[in-house]
Each structure stands twice: as C-alpha cells, then as structure tokens.
Amino acid sequence: QAFVFEQLCVVGPASLAAMPLGSEQLKEIFHKWDKDGSGDISVAELARIIMKLNPDIDREGCSKMFDAIDVNKDGSLQYEEFIDWLTAMDGQFMGAKAGIMMDKKRADKSGSMDSTRRAKLRGKYARLDKNGDGSLDFMEIYDFLHKRYPNMTLPDLRFLYNCADKSRDGVVDFYELLDVLMAVPAHKKDPNVAEHEHPLSMAIVRDDARADIDAALAKEEEDDKALMAKIHEISEAVQHHRDAETRHKAFREAHAKAMREHYAKTGQLRN
C-alpha cells in the first residue's frame, strides 16, 4: 500500500536545487546567516545558526562543516561558495542542508497539504508510534527517514531529526514530521551510495546477538501486521450495526480486547 510519503514529490540525488526555493529565497538564507552584513559568513556566524538548528552539534562539528564549504580556504564563506554547497547534493552534510531548507520553509510558513493526504499521514504516523505515546523517538522514525532519504548517512538522518524537533523535547510530534515532509522532498536511491547499518545493529558486536536482534525486528513487524489485520477484521465485523452509536460501541469494545491481547503477546502498548 502506498502511503503519503511515497506520493509526495521525489528528487534525485544530484541536486537540492529542485526543492521549491528560488534564487531570492536562497539570497535571503545567505543574508540571514551573514549577521554583520559583511558580504560573507564567518565560522562564528555559521556556528551560531547551525547550533540553533541542532543544539546537539558542537563547535568542532561546525568547524568541519565550515572547512567543507570554504572551497577557496580564505577563512570566510562568499555567497557563491555557500549557495553552491547548499544546492549540491554531494553527500556531505546532507542532513544540515535539509535542516536549513526546513528552517527557511518554516520561517516563510509556506507549503500546504490537502486533507486526504494529511489523514493518510496521520495513519502512517500512528503506525510508526510503536509505544502509542503520541510522539516519535529517533528509533521509531529511523526506518521511515532512511526509506525516504536513502542517500543520507546515519549522522545526517540524526541531524535532520534534531532539526525537526523544534520543541527540543527529544521527540518529534505529528506537525514537526509534517514540516520535514513539506520542506524536504524524498530522494531517489543513488546506487553508488553504500548502505549503512541500522543503528540498532551497529550497537551489537557479537554476530549471534545481531542475529537475535534481526529476528526480533522481523517478529515485531509480523506482530504489527497481525494487529492491523485484526483491527481491519473488527471494522468489517461491526458494519452490520445500523445505528452508528451501537456500531462505534461495538468497535471500541472489540478494539480494546484486541489491544489487551496484543499487549499480552508482545508487551507493546498501542492506542
């Protein structure tokens, strides 16, 4: 089944310029970062904005980013250097570039989504929310982000996630995820980009433990599919009730029973 994240616009890995930002908007980004109006961006100006977008990055990380952008190595970023870096999808700091684009779209309060797509996305969001707490931590949303942005490295995805977390509470709510989808189109997979390991498997050293975690992830996916099938079955079963209130009551009771059974089987709490 195709969900909204597969229906939104897709861009190739060659350029971020395909994103809906014109030359004037790019100039606005540069002038916003050039705080003192000198016509270039210093390492301090870059660090101030980057650390505001992602408080988890340190000054050393900002310096490495600055060095990558400063092609002529004169110690400052001219307009051409900055824009060439921002619009080139060359594999370096892709998460930061996406975060910058998202920050610009937020500032402009631009972008919209029709109610049908929004409803589909809410359904997808609920399925990603494994513990049913109404928010997504990085592990819950990792697979979704990796599928949507397959050319981003794990640090890039983490950077984008931190930028999305506008409330700085360590999790992403529905509207924060919506910001990502509206500002950062999906990428086509670049066959030349090597696949990186899942963050869970990277934490495992022993091969036998890695096999266990793979099996656990597969089992969790099977359990989720079984739960969705059960809920669909319940929805079909209550349709014979003509009265809407009676139908809704029957669904609630059957749904609650299914949730109890799911918890007893998997230990997962779901809404």
Side-chain angles (χ1 to χ4, degrees):
Q1 183 177 1
F3 294 106
V4 62
F5 68 98
E6 294 167 335
Q7 298 168 343
L8 296 175
C9 56
V10 177
V11 297
S15 175
L16 263 176
M19 288 183 169
L21 285 182
S23 58
E24 288 303 316
Q25 290 173 304
L26 292 172
K27 287 179 181 178
E28 288 174 14
I29 293 174
F30 180 82
H31 291 311
K32 175 183 176 181
W33 287 44
D34 178 19
K35 202 69 175 178
D36 61 5
S38 62
D40 53 33
I41 298 173
S42 67
V43 64
E45 288 172 326
L46 178 83
R48 182 173 58 251
I49 298 290
I50 290 295
M51 293 173 76
K52 182 178 179 181
L53 290 177
N54 177 12
D56 287 353
I57 193 172
D58 56 20
R59 291 192 176 276
E60 182 181 354
C62 292
S63 294
K64 289 180 180 179
M65 189 181 302
F66 184 91
D67 290 340
I69 305 172
D70 185 18
V71 177
N72 62 12
K73 303 303 178 186
D74 65 350
S76 62
L77 306 180
Q78 287 74 49
Y79 177 80
E80 291 77 11
E81 284 179 315
F82 182 75
I83 298 304
D84 285 349
W85 169 78
L86 184 60
T87 58
M89 187 62 81
D90 61 358
Q92 281 192 307
F93 305 106
M94 291 167 62
K97 297 175 186 181
I100 293 168
M101 295 293 185
M102 183 167 56
D103 182 62
K104 175 59 179 170
K105 296 290 285 184
R106 276 173 170 163
D108 293 344
K109 297 182 178 179
S110 57
S112 61
M113 181 180 291
D114 64 68
S115 58
T116 300
R117 285 188 170 185
R118 189 183 294 261
K120 288 182 178 180
L121 180 57
R122 276 198 175 278
K124 178 62 178 176
Y125 185 92
R127 284 184 281 275
L128 292 173
D129 184 13
K130 299 296 185 183
N131 61 8
D133 65 355
S135 60
L136 300 178
D137 61 32
F138 183 67
M139 293 310 303
E140 287 177 310
I141 203 175
Y142 167 79
D143 288 331
F144 172 81
L145 291 178
H146 178 52
K147 184 174 182 179
R148 183 173 171 83
Y149 309 115
N151 306 313
M152 287 194 186
T153 64
L154 180 58
D156 282 325
L157 292 176
R158 184 75 211 197
F159 194 105
L160 177 58
Y161 176 86
N162 290 342
C163 290
D165 180 20
K166 188 72 172 177
S167 61
R168 304 300 178 217
D169 57 1
V171 292
V172 170
D173 64 27
F174 174 74
Y175 292 101
E176 288 171 333
L177 176 59
L178 196 60
D179 282 344
V180 176
L181 301 186
M182 297 307 300
V184 190
H187 300 162
K188 289 182 179 178
K189 172 66 176 174
D190 183 348
N192 297 317
V193 175
E195 186 71 20
H196 59 77
E197 288 189 283
H198 192 284
L200 278 179
S201 61
M202 290 177 68
I204 304 300
V205 176
R206 292 167 38 208
D207 289 338
D208 58 338
R210 183 168 310 202
D212 288 342
I213 198 69
D214 287 342
L217 289 170
K219 182 64 167 58
E220 181 181 353
E221 185 175 354
E222 289 178 7
D223 290 338
D224 280 348
K225 287 181 179 178
L227 177 61
M228 291 300 105
K230 181 65 176 178
I231 292 175
H232 179 73
E233 180 184 322
I234 292 171
S235 298
E236 293 292 324
V238 300
Q239 292 306 311
H240 69 278
H241 293 290
R242 293 187 177 182
D243 179 62
E245 185 175 344
T246 303
R247 185 167 58 247
H248 183 56
K249 180 180 179 182
F251 176 82
R252 285 203 321 268
E253 292 174 351
H255 184 271
K257 181 181 178 182
M259 293 300 100
R260 290 194 297 270
E261 292 173 350
H262 181 73
Y263 176 71
K265 180 181 179 182
T266 67
Q268 296 178 353
L269 291 172
R270 297 290 298 270
N271 289 334

